Amino acid sequence: MIPFQCPYCGVGCGLYLDERGRVRGDRSHPANFGDLCKKPLYFPGVLRKGRVPRPLFREDKGSDFREIDWEEAYLILSEKLRVLSPDEVYFYVSGQLLTEDIYVINKFVKGFLKTNNIDANSRLCMATPATAYRMAFGSDGVPCTYEDVDDADVFLFIGSNAAISHPVLFKRVLKRRKGGAFVVTIDPVRTETAEMSDHFIQIRAGTDTVLLNSVLYVLHRRGQVDTEFIERYTEGFEEALKEAEKFPPEVASRVCGVGVEDILLLADLFAEGRKVISFWCQGLNQSLNGVMKNLALINLHLATGRLNGRGCPFSLTGQPNAMGGREVGYLSHGLPGYRDVRNREDREFMERFWGTSGIRGDPGPTITEAVDLILEGRIKLLWVVGTNPAVSLPDLNRVEEALEKVFLVVQDPYFNDTSAFANLILPASQLGEKKGVMTGSDRTLTLCEPFSVPFSESKPDWKIFSELAEVMGFGKAFSYGSPEEIFEEFKKTTEGRICDISNLHYSDLPARWGGRWLYGDLRFPTPSGRARFHPAVFDFPAGESEFVLITGRLKNQWHTMTRTGKSPELLKGEVPPFVLMNPEDCGEIGVEEGDRVRIVSKRGSVERVVRFGNVKRGHIFAPFGYPREFGEPTNLVLTGRVDPFSKEPDLKFEPVKVVKI
Ligand code: SF4
């Protein structure tokens, strides 16, 4: 029995490989107690399909690649990194890497190259809730845990199709529903989650802040806020309420395209439920107004005292180790142990700890800003680790231009769309071939043991960076003999921090940091010790358009299909690329189910086959992850406007036209 964490969604299910090489759920794991969904079942079958066997290099993108050995790869890289200034290089990493990998990469980049030019694909996913949590509670991290599902009686899913995106968690909620719990889903699409809920609110895309403000308005007008909780444990209620008062239910109903009774029902549930858990995901996060949407939801929990034993605002993590990435501080502003480059004490601590100096105090550009800097000629080397920006970033025509222009290093287990633009491809080992830790949505760390030798000449990501560090003369700081040594080093950076894992060893895992409730004593790591309300401002320049395009996930595929797309079983029903449309909208533009259409925006267009679905009138839904092997990536049509606070791009509201082919 070889244990590991599922490499897909952020539920973080504990799995193991049995003696016959089959993936099974680990009954002793607190995230899933033996349950699992379909996706990881086919992982062993795709472990070795389409892999990069050895380093490949071409100076000129018009030439063919030639095979090189690791020594030459390190020489090429060390030479480039010596010649270029720290501002001219950029690293883009992934929430799918192990904690040991990203700790070493972050140390290499921020501590030794002395640049904060690093970002992770969490920018497309968790940057928004991480920002909102910090603003409201003074720290990042989900306040409660999956255990809280088991005695809650009201569940809200907003901007989350958990039934397919976080299926094991959703099954746990359904179990509660059988016991009488009430489930509400808010989404522009009648998703699988909506189908299995007690009540569905079909909201107009982008308007969640208005809806949630209106619920606060109603709660206050009816005297249903928890005044004692607000006074004892929070600050800023009056300002938040002032903003909410702009949206009486009649107003919100028009803006959001929902019934007044929907708003009143939500208020009733927050007021009367015994324990209320709100789950949300990219529908609130990937938005121009994303942090405000998150804060509007958190405001409701604070206004009704819905924390700990009475509820939780629970942001669902998109990736298997995005929480680990947050612990390690892999976004452009972060440092290990939930530290921040903008904080002098944090920088000084890490400098002493790493035996280095000169950590920069200014956050580096985000990945979308880095694309601009590449096109301006200011970033000259981009190193992509374990992610596929040629499919997943918005405004892909512009991204392709940048990938063509920059010296591109792609470090990945698989060939993917991004490697087609590379100068240097480095074969990375993947989960199942290396040891290390991942942290799921509810702060549970799981040790992943290898069940296979590394493919061909591939190496773990931490090893690639450690060996390069040695070539570059960074001394003993990277002389790790094993991933456990890295974990032992990393965990010391968390001592006394909110994510303290300093007393955990590999042998203790799975284990959770922060206890069942992160703020169990209702003391918050803010200057006043109180949680903070924020006015949730609805600032959303929607504009006029024929349709609004919303993007999202496929049921059995994961992200850009690099791994799951290699499984015929998981591909069934997911190709050819489709768009879900309301039949009445289709009737108006003379389109039938099965017709081919072009979705056209200011930025680009993609071809899709029409499927009928229960999508709000005026909206269309297209899965985002299709690589070029299966058609044109959906993100070709996305503009990439970003939330002003989290800099997370809006992938859920693109004005488009639909043209029949
Ligand atoms: Fe993996 Fe998520 Fe399915 Fe669990 S629910 S098995 S973590 S994809």
Side-chain angles (χ1 to χ4, degrees), residues 6 8-9 11-13 36-37 39-40 167-168:
C6 176
Y8 300 120
C9 86
V11 175
C13 292
L36 78 173
C37 73
K39 286 185 274 275
V168 165

Side-chain angles (χ1 to χ4, degrees), residues 147-155 176 181 274-277:
E147 274 172 61
D148 287 288
V149 170
D150 301 334
D151 62 354
D153 64 340
V154 175
F155 297 95
R176 288 293 303 154
R274 193 168 34 76
K275 183 169 182 178
V276 183
I277 301 189

Side-chain angles (χ1 to χ4, degrees), residues 167-345:
V168 165
L169 173 71
F170 191 68
K171 280 195 257 174
R172 199 157 167 174
V173 170
L174 286 183
K175 206 167 151 198
R176 288 293 303 154
R177 183 170 173 250
K178 271 192 190 149
F182 195 82
V183 181
V184 183
T185 293
I186 304 172
D187 205 288
V189 184
R190 192 176 177 95
T191 58
E192 291 83 346
T193 307
E195 283 294 338
M196 289 183 263
S197 298
D198 296 285
H199 190 77
F200 171 49
I201 301 175
Q202 194 159 36
I203 192 173
R204 188 169 286 141
T207 64
D208 312 73
T209 304
V210 173
L211 177 77
L212 299 167
N213 266 326
S214 190
V215 177
L216 181 58
Y217 171 100
V218 173
L219 286 165
H220 181 250
R221 287 289 161 121
R222 288 176 168 177
Q224 289 173 321
V225 294
D226 186 336
T227 315
E228 194 192 334
F229 184 93
I230 292 171
E231 280 172 7
R232 286 185 66 179
Y233 304 115
T234 73
E235 60 194 7
F237 177 64
E238 291 305 325
E239 291 83 350
L241 182 63
K242 206 166 148 201
E243 193 61 34
E245 284 186 329
K246 293 178 183 167
F247 302 104
E250 301 70 31
V251 173
S253 154
R254 279 196 302 278
V255 176
C256 306
V258 304
V260 167
E261 63 285 0
D262 292 323
I263 299 167
L264 302 182
L265 171 76
L266 289 172
D268 282 342
L269 293 171
F270 267 95
E272 291 163 14
R274 193 168 34 76
K275 183 169 182 178
V276 183
I277 301 189
S278 308
F279 289 110
W280 77 96
C281 201
Q282 309 312 349
L284 294 200
N285 301 343
Q286 294 172 335
S287 169
L288 256 183
N289 197 226
V291 169
M292 290 297 153
K293 290 179 181 181
N294 277 235
L295 289 171
L297 183 59
I298 294 170
N299 283 348
L300 292 180
H301 280 265
L302 295 179
T304 52
R306 297 297 180 180
L307 275 183
N308 303 337
R310 300 181 59 211
C312 178
F314 197 134
S315 118
L316 292 168
T317 315
Q319 298 192 85
N321 197 29
M323 277 304 295
R326 286 147 86 175
E327 292 155 16
V328 161
Y330 69 172
L331 291 178
S332 53
H333 65 272
L335 286 170
Y338 275 8
R339 289 183 174 80
D340 194 309
V341 297
R342 289 165 289 202
N343 181 315
R344 190 164 52 85
E345 280 174 24

Side-chain angles (χ1 to χ4, degrees), residues 437-493:
V437 167
M438 291 210 266
T439 309
S441 270
D442 86 335
R443 303 180 261 109
T444 299
L445 281 77
T446 302
L447 177 65
C448 305
E449 295 275 7
F451 50 77
S452 168
V453 292
F455 177 75
S456 190
E457 292 176 25
S458 70
K459 298 186 185 205
D461 298 273
W462 66 263
K463 204 170 187 82
I464 296 171
F465 275 85
S466 300
E467 289 179 353
L468 174 62
E470 210 162 293
V471 173
M472 292 190 67
F474 292 157
K476 289 206 169 82
F478 292 87
S479 58
Y480 302 112
S482 70
E484 191 159 8
E485 276 180 33
I486 301 166
F487 182 78
E488 289 297 314
E489 178 180 311
F490 162 58
K491 77 182 199 188
K492 288 187 197 137
T493 71

Side-chain angles (χ1 to χ4, degrees), residues 5 10 28 47 54 75 116 126 128 132 163 176 209-210 216 268 335 344 358 377 393 409 430 458 511 523 587 650 655:
Q5 186 191 299
S28 66
L47 194 73
R54 55 192 61 86
L75 282 177
N116 295 333
M126 301 314 297
T128 292
R176 288 293 303 154
T209 304
V210 173
L216 181 58
D268 282 342
L335 286 170
R344 190 164 52 85
L393 285 181
V409 184
Q430 65 167 320
S458 70
R523 293 278 308 160
D650 193 321

